[in-house]
Amino acid sequence: MSERQLHDNIAKLLDRVSRAAQNCERDPADITVLAVSKTRPAADIREAAALGLDQFGENYLQEALDKIEALRDLPLTWHFIGPIQSNKTRAIAGHFDWVHSVDRLKVARRLSEQRPDNLPPLQVCLQVNISGEDSKSGADLDALPELAAAVLELPRLTLRGLMAIPAATGDTAAQRAAFARLRKAMTALGMPQLDTLSMGMSGDLEAAIAEGATIVRVGTDIFGPRG
Ligand SMILES: *Cc1c(COP(=O)(O)O)cnc(C)c1O
């Protein structure tokens, strides 16, 4: 992607986020743009960083580790947002700052045990299945209170909030209803230390911001369509 195109995409995106925030009387500064860089080369991330982005999200471990290594000279924050196999937890715990896709206690326990002592606690969100589809990953809403209570006790994790990937739909009302379920699920936990709702992607970030998103995860509208 050309630097000019990337610059224009980022400017347009930040403007969208600002306008979405203003439309619901939120401070745009309370919304973090997480640039989803899966499948993109390290050079694209380096350019995006030069244009001011510093939070990057990756789904595939090996690809992510290569890029984290190649970009070690930059002060970037790395978020793991993909499905987690339990044999991959050690590498995730060792190389990422955040994990958004924790959906079971076994994985949370391993991440806590394997978080290196010289790093700060791993910042985690619990991924919740709010669309009720069997195919989607994420903890069931019913199981969430018990999972959250257990994760809160793990010494090397800091539980920050919830994440969801609702079923894609172009219907704004349906988008908002799904994001509202996640917001209400977090309120219902009654844990005042939780401050993060990771929700909204290129196609639905306005609805997510209207329902309280604090992190929007954007790939396509920053880096262009994936091949
Ligand atoms: C790929 C991905 C995104 C980004 O989606 P876009 O539609 O390209 O913005 C966000 N979150 C997760 C978990 C993803 O896997």
Side-chain angles (χ1 to χ4, degrees):
M1 145 153 312
S2 77
E3 194 170 343
R4 179 60 193 270
Q5 183 71 59
L6 190 59
H7 172 276
D8 290 354
N9 286 356
I10 292 171
K12 236 184 268 173
L13 174 69
L14 295 180
D15 188 52
R16 252 178 96 191
V17 169
S18 284
R19 274 184 289 124
Q22 279 157 16
N23 282 340
C24 53
E25 293 174 1
R26 295 185 58 197
D27 183 349
D30 293 339
I31 299 155
T32 298
V33 170
L34 173 57
V36 176
S37 47
K38 63 184 176 207
T39 78
R40 316 294 177 171
D44 284 10
I45 299 173
R46 190 173 286 282
E47 256 173 33
L51 293 166
L53 299 183
D54 62 354
Q55 311 283 319
F56 291 90
E58 291 280 341
N59 296 56
Y60 310 113
L61 182 61
Q62 190 52 54
E63 177 199 332
L65 295 177
D66 292 344
K67 287 185 260 185
I68 291 171
E69 176 63 24
L71 298 165
R72 274 175 56 174
D73 56 308
L74 299 176
L76 305 180
T77 300
W78 291 98
H79 300 242
F80 192 81
I81 62 173
I84 305 174
Q85 296 164 261
S86 51
N87 64 342
K88 301 288 171 63
T89 51
R90 186 176 299 279
I92 293 171
H95 293 89
F96 284 82
D97 305 291
W98 281 72
V99 179
H100 293 226
S101 42
V102 173
D103 63 358
R104 55 199 195 278
L105 187 55
K106 178 183 175 187
V107 159
R109 282 206 182 105
R110 290 173 65 98
L111 289 170
S112 181
E113 283 160 11
Q114 295 167 345
R115 180 66 168 173
D117 288 334
N118 62 322
L119 296 177
L122 190 59
Q123 308 298 300
V124 306
C125 292
L126 300 177
Q127 184 175 350
V128 183
N129 179 355
I130 48 170
S131 301
E133 289 171 54
D134 298 336
S135 60
K136 296 267 174 185
S137 37
D140 288 337
L141 274 175
D142 301 345
L144 184 61
E146 203 179 316
L147 176 62
V151 171
L152 207 54
E153 298 301 313
L154 295 172
R156 299 290 291 142
L157 303 186
T158 300
L159 181 59
R160 296 294 298 270
L162 304 181
M163 180 273 234
I165 313 170
T169 167
D171 174 3
T172 318
Q175 291 171 358
R176 283 197 59 165
F179 293 133
R181 280 201 290 284
L182 195 70
R183 172 172 50 74
K184 289 175 185 164
M186 190 154 94
T187 306
L189 290 174
M191 297 173 173
Q193 59 275 66
L194 304 189
D195 61 4
T196 302
L197 282 169
S198 168
M199 59 188 197
M201 319 201 303
S202 296
D204 55 14
L205 65 88
E206 282 84 2
I209 288 170
E211 294 297 341
T214 63
I215 300 182
V216 291
R217 308 179 311 268
V218 181
T220 307
D221 283 3
I222 293 174
F223 296 108
R226 286 179 292 274

